[in-house]
Amino acid sequence: MEMRVSDLAVQRGGIVVLEGLSFTLPPGRALVLRGPNGVGKTTLLRTLAGLQPAVAGEVSIPAESLAYASHADGLKATLTVAENLAFWAAVYGTGLVEDALAGMNLRELRNRWAASLSAGQKRRLGLARLLVSGRPIWVLDEPTVSLDAASVALFAAVVRAHLAAGGSALLATHIDLGLDEAEVLDLTPFRATSRAARQDAGFQEAFL
Amino acid sequence: MTALLIRDLRLAVRAGGGFGLGLAFFLLVAVLVPLGVGPEGGTLGKIAPGILWVGALLSCLLSLDRIFALDFEDGSLDLLATSPLPMEGAVAVKALAHWLVTGLPLTLAAPVLGVLLYLPASGYGWLVVSLLIGTPALSVIGAFGAALTVGVKRGGLLLSLLVLPLYVPTLIFGAEVVKRGAAGMEIATPLALLAAITAGAAALLPFASAAAIRVNLR
């Protein structure tokens, strides 16, 4: 269950934003991606999640092992908290709804409409989806946005438990989660500079 | 798959889900046309098959952009694409859910509205049969159009323009079945062609739609 990335280049809107990126994420470890806005954190995570193709390089992720959480939580406003989670539990073929509700402290909200949740509560519900997925590798894009300090601590504890159980996590975040076992990877040095890469990408984009 | 179907049906019948929108539009068309054309039974009976089929087609068109746009906006389409569900299956299930909340109610309501349009008695059976066989094609083709326009802001106009020409064969053969059925003529050929369009669309278009969504999510 090891994620291996070698010499990866990713593009956004036809422009290569990151290149020459290599890292390994073994089980039980977390990797925090840092870098200024626009450096390509989201693009990298979307590429790893398989939503867009890589320009160059290789990504090796064991099949059926990755759970991706984007900026948006993918909640349905007219479903209740428990129904939202039950849907994803059925999609991933797990029955972990109760564990996830307990894990993200959502038990009391289980019968509330997702529409009536606060931004932080919605975020917690979005993150609870990771728990019902039962997948070992978490790829998280800004997971702590709109969470209060207590919820950030709760989330850090959830991630720590996930790592202790042999999972791994790749996070793009600006906040210090207090994860001692997390390594930090600054993406700034991997910014694409080579002109050839840019032109090539633009050239191909013209034929899409 | 079943979970996705249940979720989509549940979303459709809850507040703001759009269930009944197509049905209400169909009802309006069938009520307003006799008022506009006049109460002469002969004329109405002659145009009834066409009016009912055009009404069904336009009501289907009304709710098409909701098939994927809502999931795209709240991010669940991204999450579905990274989930273990194959995208082709998800597209097929969403088209099925669309048919269950628009095509099927339209089919069931059509005989009642046929009365308003003086549809000859021999046409009712064929009206239901032709809608039952033809409307799934409308949902599947519509899902394909919705997949092509999923990332486009205010894509409704583009969607209609893309989908309408593809709807034409279904409309022609569907209305032809009812017209011939009402007149007591042979209906085997248009009915077979109508069924062929539905079968072909249902077999092939989910793959095309899934490919279109994958490109649009990039």
Side-chain angles (χ1 to χ4, degrees):
Chain A
M1 288 297 150
E2 188 179 70
M3 180 198 277
R4 223 178 272 125
V5 169
S6 57
D7 203 24
L8 185 72
V10 298
Q11 64 170 358
R12 181 182 57 225
I15 296 169
V16 177
V17 287
L18 290 170
E19 60 184 2
L21 185 65
S22 302
F23 64 84
T24 330
L25 184 62
R29 302 303 295 267
L31 185 63
V32 175
L33 301 175
R34 289 275 157 81
N37 291 139
V39 77
K41 297 187 289 293
T42 297
T43 312
L44 172 63
L45 295 183
R46 287 179 66 85
T47 308
L48 294 177
L51 288 169
Q52 57 182 73
V55 178
E58 265 182 51
V59 179
S60 130
I61 300 169
E64 307 263 299
S65 66
L66 187 140
Y68 168 68
S70 58
H71 283 282
D73 291 313
L75 304 177
K76 290 296 173 190
T78 49
L79 295 183
T80 65
V81 169
E83 283 171 344
N84 267 299
L85 276 184
F87 166 65
W88 290 110
V91 165
Y92 283 95
T94 66
L96 301 168
V97 175
E98 289 307 316
D99 299 352
L101 285 172
M104 288 313 293
N105 196 17
L106 289 164
R107 275 219 173 112
E108 284 143 38
L109 303 170
R110 59 178 306 145
N111 291 324
R112 287 265 291 275
W113 301 114
S116 67
L117 298 180
S118 77
Q121 288 167 337
K122 279 183 184 155
R123 194 72 230 191
R124 259 155 57 203
L125 177 53
L127 294 170
R129 193 181 55 84
L130 295 167
L131 292 171
V132 299
S133 77
R135 294 284 176 91
I137 301 176
W138 289 358
V139 172
L140 312 175
D141 199 352
E142 304 276 5
T144 53
V145 167
S146 67
L147 290 183
D148 60 11
S151 297
V152 169
L154 179 73
F155 172 64
V158 167
V159 172
R160 209 169 283 133
H162 176 66
L163 299 181
S168 54
L170 181 64
L171 308 101
T173 179
H174 299 288
I175 299 182
D176 187 14
L177 282 173
L179 291 169
D180 306 326
E181 52 276 69
E183 284 176 58
V184 173
L185 176 67
D186 191 349
L187 291 177
T188 320
F190 299 102
R191 262 193 170 149
T193 46
S194 73
R195 250 196 133 80
R198 277 176 205 211
Q199 277 175 352
D200 188 37
F203 182 72
Q204 285 180 4
E205 190 72 4
F207 287 93
L208 277 179
Chain B
M1 292 287 173
T2 329
L4 183 60
L5 181 66
I6 291 171
R7 182 193 77 148
D8 271 19
L9 293 179
R10 207 177 252 162
L11 288 173
V13 294
R14 284 194 182 160
F19 176 75
L21 178 71
L23 200 58
F25 183 80
F26 192 40
L27 184 77
L28 283 180
V29 169
V31 169
L32 291 180
V33 164
L35 294 176
V37 173
E40 199 199 319
T43 321
L44 273 178
K46 208 175 277 175
I47 61 170
I51 295 293
L52 286 168
W53 255 95
V54 167
L57 189 147
L58 292 177
S59 348
C60 258
L61 200 62
L62 263 187
S63 48
L64 280 185
D65 60 335
R66 306 177 67 96
I67 299 184
F68 297 115
L70 297 180
D71 279 347
F72 179 76
E73 279 161 19
D74 66 17
S76 29
L77 202 55
D78 277 352
L79 302 179
L80 273 177
T82 57
S83 79
L85 285 185
M87 193 41 101
E88 289 79 7
V91 171
V93 166
K94 282 184 143 309
L96 174 64
H98 180 260
W99 181 73
L100 287 175
V101 297
T102 55
L104 188 61
L106 289 183
T107 306
L108 299 177
V112 182
L113 302 179
V115 176
L116 292 175
L117 289 163
Y118 284 91
L119 186 70
S122 50
Y124 286 93
W126 295 119
L127 177 66
V128 174
V129 167
S130 71
L131 283 171
L132 203 59
I133 292 177
T135 46
L138 301 183
S139 290
V140 178
I141 295 171
F144 173 57
L148 283 175
T149 54
V150 74
V152 184
K153 294 253 182 296
R154 306 272 178 274
L157 173 67
L158 188 59
L159 173 62
S160 317
L161 290 175
L162 277 173
V163 159
L164 267 181
L166 301 176
Y167 274 3
V168 167
T170 300
L171 171 68
I172 291 174
F173 293 122
E176 191 66 15
V177 169
V178 185
K179 217 177 294 167
R180 286 169 164 254
M185 287 154 68
E186 178 67 32
I187 47 87
T189 310
L191 195 62
L193 285 167
L194 188 67
I197 293 167
T198 301
L204 298 176
L205 284 182
F207 295 95
S209 313
I213 287 182
R214 285 204 197 92
V215 170
N216 278 333
L217 285 183
R218 274 180 195 173

